[in-house]
Amino acid sequence: AIVTQRFLKSPNRPKNAIVLNVVSMSAHTRFPVPGWSGYSGSKMAQARIFENIRFEHPDVRFINAHPGLLDTDGFERCGAAVPPGGMTDGRLTGGFFAWLATEEAAFLSGRFVWADWDIEELKGKREEILEKDLLLTTVDGFNRGF
């Protein structure tokens, strides 16, 4: 967050800048691993900040991206079991993050995406994502509130 704050205050910030926020799936999924509540909570807070900061800085594209289940020291330390489908290939993650930095992915600004999602499918759902305001960490479906 501090790096992002400094970047946003920079007088030399490029026009149409892109900030890719690496977030964990634990921000919005069950992550029942003892001792990791602070991690999950901080990742949710981070995701919410990046969803909303785009309204304060409309000239910057902010995207929350889960890199996939990468075989890292952090994953090993958390003690979670390896998922049935295996771990995410880091090359897939790198390619996805590179695509997020393109103009083609601009419609995902302020949204939460996963690196192992199919890019063509995401592009095909562009209008639905924008029209229904999808891929956010909100609780929807209630008529009360706003």
Side-chain angles (χ1 to χ4, degrees):
I2 294 171
V3 172
T4 302
Q5 288 173 348
R6 295 271 171 111
F7 173 73
L8 292 173
K9 291 177 183 177
S10 171
N12 300 323
R13 182 180 54 172
K15 290 192 180 274
N16 301 320
I18 302 165
V19 178
L20 301 177
N21 183 36
V22 180
V23 185
S24 169
M25 65 185 245
S26 71
H28 62 94
T29 61
R30 279 189 200 167
F31 196 64
V33 179
W36 285 75
S37 58
Y39 177 80
S40 295
S42 66
K43 290 299 185 177
M44 176 57 105
Q46 185 181 14
R48 290 295 292 160
I49 289 168
F50 275 74
E51 282 180 9
N52 291 304
I53 199 170
R54 65 186 163 135
F55 299 112
E56 297 168 14
H57 299 277
D59 59 324
V60 178
R61 183 184 336 158
F62 297 92
I63 300 176
N64 289 307
H66 170 51
L69 297 172
L70 299 170
D71 190 8
T72 64
D73 292 345
F75 186 84
E76 188 174 312
R77 281 193 318 269
C78 82
V82 174
M87 303 301 275
T88 304
D89 183 333
R91 292 174 292 199
L92 178 83
T93 300
F96 189 81
F97 274 67
W99 175 73
L100 289 176
T102 69
E103 194 58 37
E104 188 176 56
F107 72 97
L108 294 171
S109 185
R111 310 215 181 265
F112 197 126
V113 295
W114 289 41
D116 48 7
W117 286 353
D118 184 90
I119 291 173
E120 294 304 318
E121 185 177 356
L122 271 172
K123 291 189 313 189
K125 293 182 182 249
R126 180 184 186 278
E127 296 307 318
E128 179 183 7
I129 290 167
L130 293 173
E131 181 181 308
K132 295 180 179 176
D133 214 14
L134 302 175
L135 303 180
L136 301 171
T137 58
T138 60
V139 176
D140 293 324
F142 293 94
N143 294 328
R144 300 190 73 157
F146 64 96

